[in-house]
Coordinates of all heavy atoms in Angstrom, one line a residue:
I127 N 7.3 9.2 7.6 CA 7.1 7.9 7.0 C 8.4 7.1 7.3 O 9.5 7.7 7.2 CB 6.9 8.0 5.5 CG1 5.6 8.8 5.2 CG2 6.9 6.6 4.8 CD1 5.4 9.0 3.7
A128 N 8.2 5.9 7.7 CA 9.4 5.1 8.1 C 10.4 5.0 7.0 O 10.1 4.7 5.8 CB 9.0 3.7 8.5
G129 N 11.6 5.4 7.3 CA 12.7 5.4 6.3 C 12.8 6.6 5.4 O 13.7 6.7 4.5
E130 N 11.9 7.6 5.6 CA 11.8 8.7 4.7 C 12.0 10.1 5.4 O 11.8 11.1 4.8 CB 10.5 8.8 3.9 CG 10.4 7.6 3.0 CD 9.2 7.6 2.1 OE1 8.6 8.7 1.9 OE2 8.8 6.6 1.6
G131 N 12.4 10.0 6.7 CA 12.6 11.3 7.4 C 11.3 11.9 8.0 O 10.2 11.4 7.8
A132 N 11.6 12.9 8.8 CA 10.4 13.6 9.5 C 10.3 15.0 9.0 O 11.3 15.6 8.6 CB 10.7 13.6 11.0
K133 N 9.1 15.5 9.0 CA 8.8 16.9 8.5 C 7.9 17.7 9.4 O 7.1 17.1 10.2 CB 8.2 16.8 7.1 CG 9.1 16.2 6.0 CD 8.4 16.2 4.7 CE 9.3 15.7 3.6 NZ 8.6 15.5 2.4
L134 N 8.1 19.0 9.3 CA 7.1 19.9 10.0 C 6.6 20.8 8.9 O 7.4 21.5 8.2 CB 7.8 20.7 11.1 CG 7.1 22.0 11.5 CD1 5.7 21.7 12.0 CD2 7.9 22.7 12.7
N135 N 5.3 20.7 8.6 CA 4.7 21.5 7.5 C 5.5 21.4 6.2 O 5.9 22.3 5.6 CB 4.6 23.0 7.9 CG 3.6 23.2 9.0 OD1 2.8 22.3 9.3 ND2 3.6 24.3 9.6
D136 N 5.8 20.1 5.9 CA 6.5 19.7 4.7 C 8.0 20.1 4.6 O 8.6 19.9 3.5 CB 5.8 20.3 3.4 CG 4.5 19.5 3.2 OD1 4.5 18.3 3.5 OD2 3.5 20.1 2.7
H137 N 8.6 20.6 5.7 CA 10.0 20.9 5.7 C 10.7 19.9 6.6 O 10.2 19.6 7.7 CB 10.3 22.3 6.2 CG 9.7 23.4 5.3 ND1 10.2 23.7 4.1 CD2 8.6 24.2 5.5 CE1 9.4 24.6 3.5 NE2 8.4 24.9 4.4
R138 N 11.8 19.4 6.1 CA 12.6 18.4 6.9 C 13.0 18.9 8.3 O 13.4 20.1 8.4 CB 13.8 17.9 6.2 CG 13.6 16.9 5.1 CD 13.0 15.6 5.6 NE 14.1 14.8 6.1 CZ 14.7 13.8 5.4 NH1 14.4 13.6 4.1 NH2 15.6 13.1 5.9
I139 N 12.9 18.1 9.3 CA 13.3 18.5 10.7 C 14.3 17.5 11.1 O 14.4 16.4 10.7 CB 12.1 18.5 11.7 CG1 11.3 17.2 11.6 CG2 11.3 19.8 11.5 CD1 10.2 17.2 12.7
E140 N 15.2 18.0 12.1 CA 16.1 17.0 12.7 C 16.4 17.4 14.1 O 16.1 18.5 14.6 CB 17.4 16.9 11.9 CG 18.2 18.2 11.7 CD 19.4 17.9 10.9 OE1 20.1 17.0 11.1 OE2 19.6 18.7 9.9
V141 N 16.9 16.4 14.8 CA 17.1 16.6 16.3 C 18.3 17.5 16.5 O 19.0 17.8 15.6 CB 17.4 15.2 16.9 CG1 16.2 14.3 16.9 CG2 18.6 14.5 16.2
S142 N 18.4 17.9 17.8 CA 19.5 18.8 18.2 C 20.8 18.1 18.3 O 20.9 16.9 18.2 CB 19.2 19.4 19.6 OG 19.2 18.4 20.5
A143 N 21.9 18.9 18.6 CA 23.2 18.2 18.7 C 23.8 18.2 20.1 O 24.8 17.7 20.4 CB 24.2 19.0 17.8
A144 N 23.0 18.7 21.1 CA 23.5 18.8 22.5 C 23.9 17.4 22.9 O 23.1 16.5 22.8 CB 22.4 19.4 23.4
D145 N 25.1 17.3 23.5 CA 25.5 16.0 23.9 C 25.9 15.9 25.4 O 26.5 15.0 25.8 CB 26.6 15.5 23.0 CG 27.9 16.3 23.1 OD1 27.8 17.4 23.8 OD2 28.8 16.0 22.3
E146 N 25.5 16.9 26.2 CA 25.7 16.9 27.6 C 24.5 17.3 28.3 O 23.9 18.3 27.9 CB 26.9 17.7 28.0 CG 28.2 17.1 27.7 CD 29.4 18.0 28.1 OE1 29.2 18.8 29.0 OE2 30.4 17.8 27.4
L147 N 24.2 16.6 29.4 CA 23.0 17.0 30.2 C 23.0 18.4 30.7 O 22.0 19.1 30.8 CB 22.9 16.0 31.4 CG 21.5 15.5 31.9 CD1 20.5 15.5 30.8 CD2 21.7 14.2 32.7
S148 N 24.2 18.9 31.0 CA 24.4 20.2 31.6 C 23.9 21.3 30.6 O 23.6 22.4 31.0 CB 25.8 20.5 32.0 OG 26.6 20.3 30.9
E149 N 23.9 21.0 29.3 CA 23.4 22.0 28.3 C 22.1 21.6 27.7 O 21.6 22.2 26.7 CB 24.5 22.1 27.2 CG 24.9 20.8 26.6 CD 25.8 21.0 25.3 OE1 25.7 22.0 24.6 OE2 26.5 20.1 25.1
A150 N 21.4 20.6 28.3 CA 20.2 20.0 27.7 C 18.9 20.6 28.3 O 18.8 20.8 29.5 CB 20.2 18.5 27.8
M151 N 18.0 20.8 27.4 CA 16.6 21.1 27.8 C 15.8 19.8 27.7 O 15.7 19.2 26.6 CB 16.0 22.1 26.8 CG 14.5 22.3 27.0 SD 14.2 24.0 27.3 CE 12.4 24.0 26.9
C152 N 15.3 19.3 28.8 CA 14.6 18.0 28.9 C 13.1 18.2 29.3 O 12.8 19.2 29.9 CB 15.2 17.2 30.0 SG 17.0 16.9 29.8
M153 N 12.3 17.2 29.0 CA 10.9 17.2 29.4 C 10.6 15.8 29.9 O 11.2 14.8 29.5 CB 10.0 17.6 28.3 CG 10.1 19.0 28.0 SD 8.9 19.5 26.7 CE 9.4 21.2 26.4
A154 N 9.6 15.7 30.9 CA 9.2 14.4 31.4 C 7.7 14.5 31.6 O 7.2 15.6 31.9 CB 9.9 14.2 32.7
S155 N 7.0 13.4 31.4 CA 5.6 13.2 31.8 C 5.6 12.5 33.1 O 6.2 11.4 33.2 CB 4.8 12.4 30.8 OG 4.5 13.2 29.6
L156 N 4.8 13.0 34.1 CA 4.6 12.3 35.3 C 3.2 11.8 35.4 O 2.3 12.3 34.8 CB 4.9 13.3 36.5 CG 6.2 14.0 36.5 CD1 6.3 15.0 37.7 CD2 7.4 13.0 36.6
P157 N 3.0 10.7 36.2 CA 1.6 10.2 36.4 C 0.7 11.3 37.0 O 1.2 12.1 37.7 CB 1.8 9.0 37.3 CG 3.3 8.7 37.4 CD 4.0 10.0 37.0
I158 N -0.6 11.1 36.7 CA -1.6 12.1 37.2 C -1.7 11.9 38.7 O -1.6 10.7 39.2 CB -2.9 11.8 36.6 CG1 -2.9 12.0 35.1 CG2 -4.0 12.6 37.2 CD1 -4.1 11.5 34.3
R159 N -1.8 13.0 39.5 CA -2.0 12.9 41.0 C -1.0 11.9 41.7 O -1.4 11.1 42.5 CB -3.4 12.4 41.3 CG -4.5 13.4 41.1 CD -5.0 14.0 42.4 NE -5.8 15.1 42.2 CZ -7.2 15.1 42.1 NH1 -7.8 14.0 42.3 NH2 -7.8 16.2 41.9
T160 N 0.2 12.1 41.3 CA 1.2 11.1 41.8 C 1.7 11.6 43.2 O 1.6 12.8 43.5 CB 2.4 10.9 40.9 OG1 3.2 9.9 41.3 CG2 3.2 12.2 40.7
D161 N 2.3 10.7 44.0 CA 2.8 11.2 45.3 C 4.3 11.5 45.1 O 5.0 11.0 44.2 CB 2.5 10.2 46.4 CG 3.2 8.9 46.2 OD1 4.4 8.8 46.5 OD2 2.6 8.0 45.6
R162 N 4.9 12.2 46.1 CA 6.3 12.7 45.9 C 7.3 11.5 46.0 O 8.4 11.7 45.6 CB 6.6 13.7 47.0 CG 6.5 13.2 48.4 CD 6.6 14.3 49.4 NE 5.4 15.2 49.3 CZ 5.3 16.4 49.8 NH1 6.4 17.0 50.3 NH2 4.2 17.1 49.7
D163 N 6.9 10.4 46.5 CA 7.9 9.3 46.6 C 7.9 8.4 45.3 O 8.6 7.4 45.2 CB 7.5 8.4 47.8 CG 7.7 9.2 49.1 OD1 8.6 10.0 49.1 OD2 6.9 9.0 50.0
N164 N 7.0 8.7 44.4 CA 6.9 7.9 43.2 C 8.3 8.0 42.5 O 8.8 9.1 42.3 CB 5.8 8.5 42.3 CG 5.5 7.6 41.1 OD1 6.4 7.4 40.3 ND2 4.3 7.1 41.0
P165 N 8.8 6.9 41.9 CA 10.1 6.9 41.2 C 10.1 8.0 40.1 O 11.2 8.6 39.8 CB 10.3 5.5 40.7 CG 9.4 4.7 41.5 CD 8.3 5.5 42.0

Side-chain angles (χ1 to χ4, degrees):
I127 296 178
E130 295 185 21
K133 291 181 178 170
L134 163 55
N135 293 346
D136 286 330
H137 299 288
R138 282 295 281 266
I139 50 173
E140 59 182 312
V141 293
S142 65
D145 59 2
E146 280 179 30
L147 211 35
S148 59
E149 54 172 330
M151 169 124 161
C152 305
M153 288 182 185
S155 280
L156 303 179
I158 297 167
R159 284 254 168 98
T160 188
D161 64 84
R162 65 189 66 201
D163 296 324
N164 188 301

